[in-house]
Amino acid sequence: MDEPVLSGRERRILAQIEARLRSDSRLLDRELRTMRLYRPRRPRLTAQLVLGGLGVLVAVSGVMLAAGVVLARPLLIGSVIGFWAGGLVILLRHR
């Protein structure tokens, strides 16, 4: 019988807290969410960011390809492939 004994006032307060938690499931959900020990996952990239990244890849690779053709530089033309590979890796890694 080493259990702590609650006074009448403490029992009423505890009953009020329990009643409030039972009546408001959103409050209970919030309380339970804030007690978790793991870190939440980062949000995924939105479709707008992915499309924007792909747009930048297309624009820059188009300029690089055109410059490689005009200047007759095979290395610049070949670097377009590397640029696309690197850009896609970056976009896919942040999903």
Side-chain angles (χ1 to χ4, degrees), residues 6 9-25 27-28 31:
L6 297 177
R9 180 176 179 267
E10 290 170 333
R11 283 193 303 260
R12 282 191 305 274
I13 292 172
L14 183 58
Q16 289 173 353
I17 292 171
E18 290 173 346
R20 195 175 335 143
L21 287 174
R22 276 193 301 274
S23 68
D24 191 0
S25 64
L27 178 63
L28 179 59
E31 291 294 326

Side-chain angles (χ1 to χ4, degrees), residues 56-69:
V56 168
L57 281 173
V58 168
V60 172
S61 63
V63 169
M64 288 172 62
L65 190 60
V69 169

Side-chain angles (χ1 to χ4, degrees), residues 1-8 10-11:
M1 307 268 329
D2 291 336
E3 298 177 16
V5 178
L6 297 177
S7 68
E10 290 170 333
R11 283 193 303 260

